[in-house]
Structure formats: structure tokens, C-alpha cells
Amino acid sequence: MPTLREAADTAVVQCLGITADDTVVVVTDDERRPIGQALYEAARDVTDDVTVLQYPPGEQHGAEPPAPVAAAMREADAFLAPTTKSLSHTRARSRASDAGVRGATLPGITEDVFTTGLDADYATIRRHCADVLAQVRDAEEIRVTTDAGTDITVAPGAREWRQDTGMVHEAGDFSNLPAGEVFVSPETADGTYVVDGTMMPHGRLDTELRFEVEDGTVTGISDDDVREQVEAAADEVGDAAYNLAELGIGTNVAVTDLVGSVLLDEKAAGTVHIAIGDDAGIGGDVDAPIHLDGIIRDPTVYADGEEVHLPEP
């Protein structure tokens, strides 16, 4: 297994393509400092203009970082963000991307996931992303079914499918690390999905969680803990918290087993994940302080009635 430093070198050199001319910001928090430090040291070997910013962990995924952190992200050439709570769907991240900053978030990353998940061939991941994207990008409807009871249909509408390849070399490029998915924020969705893989706050599940969706809104949540998280967000933003935010298809063939980390497990080839809450950072129009992904195992995916060939680990 690679060391923290070897994994950090992969992120800095292969994924971000950091050069001596780049200004780099590493954003981390009290619980992810060792990973932040490894990324700082890897970047420091390439450029003299690198800074670490550390702050207390956010209250929930999608919570905005402190204003000075957001400003630093927006002013850099590149950023890396290993944090306990996700910055992927924050305005701080999207504004940095809009300003031309290339970057990667590593939400909820652990040292084991960092060293395991970064040990991948990102050229292969990019090819699988391209293959899946070609099958779904023009479809008017995507249907997902499973033997566990999932049967949901989403309509992307005018919204663009995106790919998370881990290769972040051009201005404004953005990715999760570890990477490997093709995803969309659908305009609407209807049906049922059953999460039987991984979902926060539980991690790897030993029971199934059931969600009902009508007209793009999650109307039923079987799990008390997940429901409480969504209700807490709804106290701030109302019904926006119940938005069906994302449909994603995993393309990382190096992830052969679910480990209980949403960050890694949602990338597993041959899985689908569906998220509730914020989608403004991925092409939608709903701004919410929450983004909860649930991973679905062994799905069958149809694009306008034609079965999509999913990559296999």
C-alpha cells in the first residue's frame, strides 16, 4: 500500500499537474491535518508558493468554510481540500472554479482511503468515464432498477452530465479525489430508490434504506437518522433540503469492495449513487446546506430504454 506521501504525490503531480509557477492552497481541518500536511509537503517540492489553511471541522457536509478560506481558494491557481465535511457543494468551491481555479476536494477522507483510493490509474478511469458518458449524455430519461426494490426514473432535461475523472489540469477543472464517476443533477425524478451500500451517517450499511421520490422531491425517508439530518437542513432552507440532487454512476474499477466511505464507495465501478439536497454546485439550481449520497449496489441502468453497459471492477 502506498504511503501518505506517495498518495499525496499522485494527487499533486498526476491529478492536479502542479507546476513551479502555481500558487497552491491546501485547505484542511483539525481532524484531517496529517493528510493536509502530506499534500503540503508534496506541493512544496514542486512550488515555493504553497499554503496550508486549517480550521475546525464544519457542522455538516456542504457547510461553507470560513470567509478567509473561501477567499484564499478563489485567489489560488489550484487547491486541495482534505476535510471532514465536504466542500464539494459549497459556494466557496463553485466560486473558486468559476474564477478559473482548478481543484480537488477530499471530503471525509481517511488515511486508509487516501492511500488506497489514490492508488489508481486515472487514465483508465477517464476512459471508463468517457464510455459511460457517451451512453447517457443524450438520453431524455434514465431509469435505475435493482432486485432490492429500486425503480426510479430521472429526467436530466437541459442539465449537462459531468464526469469526475481525477485529472484536473485545465483552469476551472474540479474533481473529487479519489475520483471516478459520471453524474447529473436531474430536473426531475420519480420513483423509489433503496440504498444498500453506504450512506452517512451510518457508513457501510447492514440494512436497506428506502426513499420515495415525487416530482424531483424526496417525500419519504425510512431511516430516522437520515431523516433528522434532512429535517435539520430544512429548518434553514425549507423544502429545498428534500431536493433529489444527483444521479451518479461509478467508474473507478480499482474500487473492488465498499469500505464504508461515501467518498470512495460512490466511485466504485458498477454502482449508482443518488443524493439529496444541494445541487447548485453540480449544474442544478437548489442551494441547501446538505448533500447526502447513498450508494446502490448491483443496479441496472437504462438510457431511453437501452441498457447502459457499466464498467466492472
Side-chain angles (χ1 to χ4, degrees):
M1 180 180 294
T3 63
L4 278 181
R5 177 53 193 272
E6 289 170 336
D9 284 338
T10 297
V12 166
V13 177
Q14 183 178 352
C15 296
L16 270 294
I18 300 299
T19 72
D21 295 328
D22 282 326
T23 298
V24 179
V25 172
V26 178
V27 176
T28 191
D29 59 39
D30 301 345
E31 297 180 8
R32 299 298 186 265
R33 177 70 193 208
I35 297 171
Q37 184 65 28
L39 289 166
Y40 168 81
E41 292 173 0
R44 179 67 182 81
D45 277 356
V46 179
T47 176
D48 291 336
D49 199 345
V50 57
T51 303
V52 173
L53 296 176
Q54 180 177 338
Y55 65 99
E59 293 184 1
Q60 59 187 345
H61 295 293
E64 294 295 325
V69 172
M73 292 170 63
R74 196 166 56 249
E75 294 299 322
D77 294 315
F79 69 83
L80 290 142
T83 55
T84 303
K85 301 298 184 181
S86 177
L87 296 184
S88 303
H89 302 277
T90 61
R91 302 296 79 77
R93 196 284 300 167
S94 60
R95 288 167 183 160
S97 298
D98 290 344
V101 185
R102 66 190 192 279
T105 54
L106 299 85
I109 192 78
T110 66
E111 294 182 24
D112 284 345
V113 170
F114 185 60
T115 53
T116 300
L118 269 294
D119 186 23
D121 181 347
Y122 284 96
T124 296
I125 291 171
R126 181 165 54 185
R127 287 198 300 272
H128 285 301
C129 284
D131 178 59
V132 171
L133 184 63
Q135 297 179 72
V136 300
R137 72 190 323 162
D138 296 324
E140 294 183 6
E141 289 188 344
I142 303 293
R143 183 185 179 199
V144 181
T145 66
T146 68
D147 290 343
T150 294
D151 192 345
I152 187 169
T153 299
V154 307
R159 294 179 181 173
E160 181 181 0
W161 283 88
R162 303 183 180 199
Q163 52 184 331
D164 181 23
T165 67
M167 304 294 275
V168 191
H169 293 177
E170 302 297 325
D173 282 355
F174 167 70
S175 180
N176 267 166
L177 291 177
E181 66 171 293
V182 172
F183 59 98
V184 69
S185 173
E187 287 189 355
T188 191
D190 290 279
T192 300
Y193 69 98
V194 179
V195 177
D196 58 355
T198 301
M199 188 166 192
M200 292 298 290
H202 303 294
R204 183 70 169 85
L205 297 172
D206 55 14
T207 188
E208 296 172 351
L209 311 183
R210 188 179 184 90
F211 300 82
E212 305 294 339
V213 184
E214 296 179 14
D215 296 328
T217 297
V218 177
T219 57
I221 301 173
S222 69
D223 181 73
D224 292 341
D225 293 325
V226 175
R227 189 185 313 111
E228 288 174 5
Q229 290 190 76
V230 179
E231 287 173 349
D235 287 341
E236 295 185 40
V237 297
D239 289 345
Y242 294 91
N243 176 52
L244 196 288
E246 177 187 6
L247 171 70
I249 300 171
T251 60
N252 189 329
V253 294
V255 182
T256 56
D257 297 294
L258 302 188
V259 300
S261 163
V262 169
L263 173 65
L264 186 62
D265 292 354
E266 70 175 1
K267 311 306 191 312
T271 66
V272 159
H273 56 278
I274 295 177
I276 306 169
D278 185 89
D279 63 15
I282 56 171
D285 56 12
V286 171
D287 190 345
I290 193 171
H291 184 91
L292 293 177
D293 291 284
I295 290 90
I296 299 167
R297 298 183 298 121
D298 301 320
T300 302
V301 181
Y302 302 92
D304 287 341
E306 295 290 328
E307 184 172 349
V308 175
H309 298 289
L310 304 179
E312 298 180 359

